[in-house]
Amino acid sequence: MTTMVKPTGIIDRPAAADRDSADLESEVRAYSRSWPVTFTRAVGSRMYSADGKPYLDFFMGAGALNYGHGNPLLRDPLIDYVRGDGVVHSLDLMTEAKATFLQVFGDLVLKPRAMDFKVQFTGPTGANAVEAALKLARKVTGRPTVAAFTRSFHGMSLGALAVTANAAKRAGAGVALDDVLRIPYEGFGRNGVCGLGLLEDLVEVSGSGVELPAAVIVETIQGEGGVNTASTAWLQRLAALCARTGMLLIVDDIQVGCGRTGPFFSFDDAGIVPDIVCLSKSLSGYGLPMALTIFKRELDVWSPGEHNGTFRGSNPAFVTATAALRAYWSDDRLRRRTEELGGVVDSFLGALCARHPEQGGTHRGRGLVWGLQFDDPQLATRVSRAAFERGLLVETAGSRDEVIKLLPSLLISSEELLEGLEILRTAVDHEAGAQP
């Protein structure tokens, strides 16, 4: 999933040193309103403000920093590369850094999964990867419509925004956002609508009046949509439907891929192989802009230069991405630890919900992406603000910012994880009106 800007928990009171810059920057800024301090340093799981106050980071660049801030295993190869006059900008020229990345990505990610995929460098952002996926699906099939889900978020450029469900974000387009068939995601709504049953009937039963879409685009966990999780059975049913009908299956793994749920791809445990996968955010490992659209070899119908971008060849990002793959995906240690820490978070949030039964709390997630929701949709914003005041960065998600979303570093220590969870509990206690 690509980064979403929002007015969550706005505290529009910039510090004195920030007033001139805040006056110059567009009113579209969002996160700096929620957390109105100037940050000067970031190491591991902490960021530091100009006055030296540490903040434990459960935000991690909206999922762009799975391996933490300033990771020396990634930073040092980057410094060596730049100091050695390595090529920085190259469009799609072949460079040593790109060739090495492709080799390592193939060996450590694609080959173990028997994925005979091609790799497309689309540009620096997740939205670029989504745009390329949508364009490719339409080119391959010759069909214009794409099926997308309720509560989805895929980016802010027009194609990606069309398949995004958030009404506030869509309103900024200023033009019609067409050629999308909207289907209920698993668990959506109050009346138990079976979205996949509806989609099956629309595309497989004669007389529906619905043309077969080119593709279905889905997030296995809807991060910005409120940490809504799809079950294995639901994903397998969707993949089977696509295989039967000839719709291409696009998985947007931008926010919850690269190990966020445990395995490298969030769909690994479901046992499915999408036709197209979108990657970005933590792909570079160091927070450097980088995105890929990868797809089955037979779908590579592009003509040379038919889809391009000036910044699709970021060699510094290739260097750090290669270092991250070698350091963390040569074995399954990171996966196992992420799943172990996920169990800790699951238990903690369950106990926190039980601690405030009057609030109707629920939690959901997998690995190290979790959402905490209460009956009062305003409580999440208040808790996020209270946590910030106590030294924890944690954002909100959902169509009404009603979900507290936790995205700690995958490398966070057990002690830091519990420290952050205790701050969250204190914030919830305070805002829910209960005594700690």
Side-chain angles (χ1 to χ4, degrees):
M1 260 284 330
T2 48
T3 303
M4 181 174 76
V5 294
K6 52 181 177 281
T8 304
I10 290 177
I11 311 172
D12 197 7
R13 300 191 304 273
D18 300 333
R19 286 173 187 158
D20 289 343
S21 59
D23 180 66
L24 184 62
E25 188 178 357
S26 166
E27 294 302 311
V28 78
R29 69 188 186 280
Y31 289 116
S32 60
R33 298 177 187 269
S34 300
W35 302 323
V37 298
T38 297
F39 293 101
T40 57
R41 296 177 56 241
V43 180
S45 288
R46 297 185 193 273
M47 298 186 72
Y48 297 85
S49 61
D51 62 2
K53 181 177 178 178
Y55 291 84
L56 195 55
D57 190 354
F58 275 26
F59 172 61
M60 283 292 155
L65 295 163
N66 283 1
Y67 312 112
H69 294 280
N71 187 325
L73 294 180
L74 314 182
R75 178 197 63 209
D76 293 349
L78 174 62
I79 291 173
D80 291 343
Y81 182 79
V82 175
R83 282 180 172 167
D85 295 328
V87 175
V88 172
H89 183 274
S90 61
L91 289 102
D92 66 0
L93 294 172
M94 186 56 71
T95 65
E96 184 177 25
K98 183 167 81 168
T100 302
F101 167 76
L102 285 169
Q103 182 67 49
V104 173
F105 185 76
D107 288 344
L108 297 183
V109 176
L110 299 180
K111 289 181 181 178
R113 295 165 176 81
M115 295 173 71
D116 186 17
F117 275 43
K118 298 293 286 291
V119 176
Q120 181 178 355
F121 299 97
T122 61
T125 74
N128 295 138
V130 170
E131 294 286 352
L134 298 176
K135 186 189 291 187
L136 180 62
R138 287 168 170 142
K139 180 177 174 65
V140 167
T141 64
R143 301 190 293 267
T145 304
V146 172
F149 291 95
T150 53
R151 293 185 178 141
S152 60
F153 184 85
H154 298 287
M156 300 296 284
S157 52
L158 288 180
L161 192 58
V163 291
T164 291
N166 186 287
K169 305 310 169 196
R170 291 172 62 86
V175 298
L177 300 171
D178 297 329
D179 294 321
V180 174
L181 175 64
R182 188 72 57 189
I183 298 296
Y185 193 78
E186 185 175 21
F188 178 78
R190 296 169 294 182
N191 299 312
V193 175
C194 180
L196 286 191
L198 174 62
L199 182 59
E200 287 166 346
D201 285 348
L202 288 175
V203 301
E204 293 188 307
V205 177
S206 63
S208 72
V210 173
E211 298 292 333
L212 183 68
V216 180
I217 185 168
V218 66
E219 303 154 274
T220 64
I221 298 177
Q222 295 181 321
E224 299 297 345
V227 195
N228 309 303
T229 60
S231 68
T232 293
W234 190 88
L235 290 170
Q236 290 174 344
R237 183 177 174 185
L238 175 60
L241 173 62
C242 289
R244 287 197 310 271
T245 60
M247 294 185 296
L248 299 181
L249 178 59
I250 304 171
V251 171
D252 179 341
D253 227 20
I254 290 166
Q255 185 166 90
V256 299
C258 299
R260 176 54 60 180
T261 65
F264 186 85
F265 291 119
S266 68
F267 52 82
D268 278 350
D269 287 342
I272 64 172
V273 180
D275 298 292
I276 304 174
V277 182
C278 302
L279 293 171
S280 186
K281 285 194 181 285
S282 280
L283 181 62
S284 79
Y286 202 69
L288 300 179
M290 180 180 179
L292 299 179
T293 301
I294 65 174
F295 40 84
K296 291 179 177 177
R297 181 173 295 272
E298 62 269 23
L299 302 179
D300 193 9
V301 298
W302 292 118
S303 300
E306 188 176 9
H307 184 89
N308 56 40
T310 301
F311 294 99
R312 65 192 183 278
S314 176
N315 289 270
F318 297 155
V319 170
T320 53
T322 300
L325 291 172
R326 285 171 167 164
Y328 302 113
W329 298 104
S330 295
D331 54 42
D332 67 350
R333 286 179 297 170
L334 180 62
R335 171 183 178 155
R336 287 188 284 105
R337 188 170 185 278
T338 298
E339 292 171 344
E340 177 185 345
L341 293 182
V344 173
V345 178
D346 187 11
S347 297
F348 191 98
L349 295 183
L352 182 55
C353 291
R355 184 180 174 88
H356 297 281
E358 75 286 354
Q359 298 295 340
T362 59
H363 73 289
R364 52 191 178 266
R366 196 162 75 242
L368 283 176
V369 50
W370 289 89
L372 175 64
Q373 183 174 357
F374 297 101
D375 287 344
D376 178 3
Q378 302 301 316
L379 184 56
T381 294
R382 299 200 304 271
V383 168
S384 175
R385 183 178 300 167
F388 168 72
E389 293 169 353
R390 291 162 174 79
L392 176 69
L393 303 179
V394 60
E395 70 164 335
T396 59
S399 60
R400 295 184 294 170
D401 294 313
E402 73 278 13
V403 178
I404 303 162
K405 183 170 71 172
L406 284 67
L407 291 170
S409 165
L410 306 186
L411 304 181
I412 192 170
S413 69
S414 298
E415 294 76 15
E416 289 171 325
L417 180 64
L418 290 174
E419 177 187 347
L421 292 173
E422 288 292 348
I423 294 174
L424 178 65
R425 176 160 57 190
T426 301
V428 171
D429 284 344
H430 183 272
E431 295 303 318
Q435 292 298 319

